[in-house]
Amino acid sequence: MWWFQQGLCLLPAALVVWTVASFVFAYITAVVLRHVDPVVPYISDTGTLAPERCVFGIMMDVSAFLGIATVYVRYKQVEALHDDEVKLQRLNCFGLVLGWMSSFGMCVVANFQKTTIFSMHLVGAVLTFGVGALYILVQTLLSHYMQPQIHSKTTFVVRLTILVWTLGSIISMFVSSVIMYTVLSGVDVPRKLHWLPGEPGYVPHMVSTVSEWFLAFSFISFFLTYIRDFQKINLRAVAVLQSSHLYDGNIPPSRQNRPSETSPLLAGTT
């Protein structure tokens, strides 16, 4: 059996691969069409103009769906492992809500470009990265409580390292963005897609864009840590019928005496 056939590990793997593919496709298309500069543009800049923004939006919507599914499976896994600990269950539920909010933020970021509705794009970025960082924090705390009984200390240390990486990237991006907007007061920065070395605000702009890419890949790295965990879980849906028919109320008389699929088509003697 191949590694991706074990449990549901294909889910976080698909999330990571698909999201990276979304970034790479949008970046290559935007650079080839000269919509952005090739040297580390904002991720959202690569999906701002047509045609790349159309495909970028669709691909990020798929990533959001995969993120929602991955967060839910993680929630069910922790719930099954600690069904008798109230504190961990509450923390687990909180993580589920944060993860879904962060996934929804990806849809907002992808479908509200910063050159059209910047306020909504900013809301989406806060949901994706800000709330997403809280999700990583919650999952790191859960990993701390679960080691060494459920998994090794190494898993906790790796997730803690990624958490520090995430928080450092957020702080760096926020500070450099504030400096950039202060230097470029009066300039329509959200619509500025091309930058020249040496112009005002170029250095904080580069720090901000690099920080954003680092932040995005910290999230991707975090979901990579789910692959081994998801090899140990499967989910299945069970159909529970509330009735043997789909009519409202009683079965019509004309249908009551009809033979079922398992009853003989003809009755009587020959």
Side-chain angles (χ1 to χ4, degrees):
M1 179 181 294
W2 295 92
W3 65 268
F4 56 83
Q5 294 176 303
Q6 301 178 32
L8 293 174
C9 70
L10 185 60
L11 189 57
L15 171 61
V16 168
V17 173
W18 186 267
T19 304
V20 172
S22 304
F23 294 162
V24 172
F25 174 83
Y27 172 79
I28 292 176
T29 306
V31 170
V32 169
L33 296 177
R34 298 183 179 180
H35 291 164
V36 297
D37 298 323
V39 182
V40 199
Y42 280 115
I43 297 174
S44 53
D45 285 352
T46 62
T48 296
L49 301 177
E52 61 269 18
R53 73 177 180 186
C54 304
V55 180
F56 181 73
I58 294 174
M59 295 185 73
M60 290 306 294
D61 288 342
V62 175
S63 291
F65 172 77
L66 292 173
I68 290 173
T70 301
V71 167
Y72 178 73
V73 172
R74 176 61 178 175
Y75 163 77
K76 296 299 292 183
Q77 184 177 47
V78 175
E79 181 185 49
L81 290 170
H82 293 283
D83 58 348
D84 57 342
E85 298 187 33
V86 178
K87 183 175 70 173
L88 290 185
Q89 288 299 333
R90 290 177 179 174
L91 190 61
N92 191 31
C93 289
F94 186 49
L96 175 67
V97 174
L98 292 175
W100 280 354
M101 289 176 62
S102 179
S103 298
F104 174 72
M106 284 197 290
C107 292
V108 178
V109 166
N111 294 283
F112 291 89
Q113 289 78 27
K114 70 176 190 176
T115 56
T116 53
I117 308 179
F118 180 67
S119 58
M120 283 301 300
H121 184 83
L122 191 60
V123 169
V126 171
L127 287 174
T128 303
F129 294 130
V131 177
L134 292 178
Y135 173 76
I136 294 178
L137 172 62
V138 169
Q139 292 301 321
T140 303
L141 290 175
L142 287 172
S143 295
H144 172 68
Y145 292 129
M146 292 167 64
Q147 55 93 27
Q149 293 82 6
I150 305 300
H151 58 63
S152 66
K153 185 177 181 180
T154 303
T155 302
F156 164 68
V157 172
V158 170
R159 288 174 180 163
L160 179 61
T161 303
I162 295 175
L163 173 63
V164 174
W165 175 10
T166 301
L167 295 178
S169 298
I170 290 177
I171 294 172
S172 175
M173 184 173 68
F174 176 77
V175 173
S176 58
S177 296
V178 170
I179 296 174
M180 178 181 65
Y181 275 88
T182 301
V183 172
L184 298 176
S185 178
V187 178
D188 190 4
V189 177
R191 295 180 181 274
K192 185 175 174 59
L193 302 179
H194 296 279
W195 297 77
L196 296 175
E199 70 175 310
Y202 179 78
V203 173
H205 163 74
M206 291 301 299
V207 174
S208 179
T209 56
V210 170
S211 299
E212 185 189 46
W213 282 94
F214 268 75
L215 179 58
F217 279 98
S218 71
F219 276 66
I220 290 171
S221 299
F222 181 81
F223 283 106
L224 280 175
T225 67
Y226 278 175
I227 291 179
R228 291 188 63 184
D229 290 355
F230 279 31
Q231 289 178 330
K232 309 295 193 302
I233 184 174
N234 273 304
L235 295 180
R236 59 187 176 92
V238 179
V240 180
L241 295 177
Q242 305 299 320
S243 175
S244 60
H245 61 86
L246 301 179
Y247 288 99
D248 293 331
N250 297 324
I251 304 177
S254 61
R255 304 289 299 181
Q256 290 181 355
N257 297 324
R258 289 187 61 131
S260 66
E261 292 182 0
T262 58
S263 64
L265 295 177
L266 299 175
T269 60
T270 59

